[in-house]
Amino acid sequence: MPDSRARRPRSGPRFRRPVIIAALVGLVIAPLTATAVATAVSANAKTTAIATLSATEGVVGDALTLTLDTADADDVYAAAVSLSFDASRLTFDEEAVTSDFPGMYSVVGEIVGDEGRLDFTLTRLGTSSGAVGDFSLGELGFTSAAWGDAAITIDAVTLVDSELGRIEQKPGTTLTFRVPAPPEPTVPPTEPTTPPTEPTTPPTEPTTAPTEPTEPTKPTNPTTPNPPATPSSPTVISASGYGTTVAKPSSGTVVAAPQSSAAPTNQTAQIAASTSKPGLGDTMELTVTGLAANTAHRIELHSDPIVLGTAVSDAAGSFTFRATIPKTAPTGEHEIVVLADDAVVATLPITIAEATASPTPTASPTAPATAAPEVDTDAASSDGSADGLAWWIWIVIALIVVLIPAVIALTMSRNHSKEKSE
């Protein structure tokens, strides 16, 4: 019987160990949290945004250019400009979008009825530093479509520095392009030159008797009214590309002046990879967090964009993706870029190495071939026949030895039975 008083193993250290680990994790996380709060302050509090329209008056069919610049920037890593325009008098030209901002840009929007809305987004890539000083963000192209005053309103300007500090302003500044109304006709009406003639024939009495009133016609059944027309779906606007250089801005309208009392927020997405130095043809696992929930994303390899695939973030704003480095990709420094609606949301610098050559197996030395011994088929067949005959002889002898005593015993048993019966 086991001793019930045997001491159980102590569980104290097992419970104390998680407590110690949690305390150490708290000591590590606390400085990181303090750093994130500190870096949320934007470095662009003194930056001014400027908007310029290439003309303020013209005719229908004129091309217009909206130029967006910045002045006194300290660290602009990314920028976003939201604007609205009169879609009944202006049409947006997706082919007339340009940018000198060194990085990637995209324009997305829609036209609903007479109102058009655009979001112009720009960003540097990877670990690049933010742009400094006076420079151009880009240009958007429009075409005059009808006479009247066409308005373009800058609704919001957002600047993000390389530490992800963000400042957002809502200026509401409006730029106007006017197309004068067509002139009224100036030719006066002409007076008649021939006076009217008096009638010379007296009026004749009617000779036809009045007709009797006819029976009223029966009313027709009312027709079924047509169903109301369904509203047309909005027109989607989309354009994207890459900037090359940094240009000086021109003079224009200040749409976002410095605002020291802004309360910037910090918003970031991160990529964790199974390796930062994959080889050509290798597959690496990417885990991306901090994204918008339930959103489609495209994964690309830069500098020259190569689409690696697509993924959809889950409800927590993350996804895992297995990316295979193309064997035709150039080696050296590159970036994994994650985009949503053609806007960069996360990047990861990597270094692509040459494919590891697998060693060629060496042929193992083969043993020298030895000649098989010759077999005397005649002797084998004769020996085999002799052995088979010998086995049959032994089998017959064994049967005789076993059966003779059995026959003798059976005969004696029968004789003994007869004697008893007599």
Side-chain angles (χ1 to χ4, degrees):
M1 178 176 180
D3 187 2
S4 60
R5 294 174 299 174
R7 292 186 301 173
R8 298 178 180 177
R10 292 181 299 173
S11 59
R14 295 183 180 178
F15 289 103
R16 287 198 297 269
R17 189 175 303 167
V19 174
I20 296 173
I21 294 174
L24 293 176
V25 171
L27 292 176
V28 174
I29 292 177
L32 294 178
T33 304
T35 302
V37 172
T39 57
V41 178
S42 175
N44 297 298
K46 299 180 179 179
T47 303
T48 301
I50 302 171
T52 306
L53 201 57
S54 59
T56 58
E57 187 171 333
V59 297
V60 174
D62 282 355
L64 301 175
T65 301
L66 176 66
T67 303
L68 300 170
D69 303 317
T70 58
D72 300 327
D74 290 330
D75 180 10
V76 176
Y77 184 88
V81 180
S82 298
L83 59 92
S84 55
F85 64 96
D86 185 353
S88 66
R89 294 182 173 88
L90 293 174
T91 58
F92 177 70
D93 187 358
E94 297 180 4
E95 302 296 329
V97 180
T98 60
S99 175
D100 292 329
F101 189 78
M104 182 178 181
Y105 69 84
S106 69
V107 178
V108 294
E110 63 179 9
I111 297 176
V112 180
D114 293 339
E115 182 181 10
R117 302 194 62 83
L118 296 176
D119 289 319
F120 182 38
T121 306
L122 310 98
T123 181
R124 301 294 299 272
L125 300 177
T127 57
S128 305
S129 58
V132 179
D134 301 344
F135 54 88
S136 173
L137 295 175
E139 297 179 344
L140 306 178
F142 297 86
T143 302
S144 173
W147 65 270
D149 292 341
I152 301 176
T153 302
I154 310 299
D155 298 317
V157 177
T158 303
L159 302 176
V160 181
D161 59 33
S162 56
E163 297 296 331
L164 301 180
R166 170 177 164 176
I167 183 170
E168 181 177 1
Q169 302 172 37
K170 298 182 179 181
T173 303
T174 299
L175 307 177
T176 303
F177 178 77
R178 171 171 294 179
V179 175
E184 296 292 335
T186 58
V187 179
T190 58
E191 294 291 335
T193 57
T194 303
T197 59
E198 294 293 331
T200 57
T201 304
T204 59
E205 293 294 331
T207 59
T208 305
T211 59
E212 295 293 331
T214 59
E215 293 292 331
T217 58
K218 295 182 178 180
T220 57
N221 293 327
T223 58
T224 304
N226 295 325
T230 57
S232 59
S233 58
T235 302
V236 178
I237 298 172
S238 177
S240 63
Y242 293 88
T244 54
T245 60
V246 176
K248 295 293 182 180
S250 59
S251 61
T253 303
V254 175
V255 297
Q259 194 176 43
S260 59
S261 61
T265 59
N266 190 14
Q267 194 173 29
T268 180
Q270 295 181 346
I271 305 176
S274 57
T275 178
S276 62
K277 297 181 179 180
L280 296 175
D282 289 353
T283 299
M284 56 188 301
E285 185 172 285
L286 306 175
T287 301
V288 187
T289 57
L291 303 168
N294 304 317
T295 304
H297 296 80
R298 186 172 71 253
I299 301 92
E300 294 182 352
L301 176 66
H302 288 200
S303 299
D304 295 331
I306 300 176
V307 178
L308 301 178
T310 58
V312 178
S313 58
D314 56 20
S318 62
F319 67 81
T320 300
F321 178 79
R322 292 178 61 84
T324 300
I325 304 300
K327 295 182 179 180
T328 57
T331 58
E333 296 183 355
H334 295 268
E335 283 184 321
I336 298 293
V337 179
V338 179
L339 305 97
D341 292 332
D342 293 328
V344 176
V345 295
T347 61
L348 175 70
I350 63 172
T351 301
I352 299 179
E354 293 284 352
T356 305
S358 57
T360 304
T362 58
S364 58
T366 57
T370 57
E374 296 182 357
V375 179
D376 187 356
T377 56
D378 296 338
S381 60
S382 62
D383 292 344
S385 301
D387 291 341
L389 181 61
W391 276 107
W392 278 108
I393 294 173
W394 281 108
I395 291 173
V396 172
I397 293 174
L399 291 174
I400 293 173
V401 171
V402 173
L403 292 176
I404 289 177
V407 172
I408 294 173
L410 181 59
T411 303
M412 293 178 64
S413 176
R414 288 182 177 177
N415 293 335
H416 184 68
S417 300
K418 288 180 180 179
E419 291 176 358
K420 281 186 177 182
S421 60
E422 293 177 355

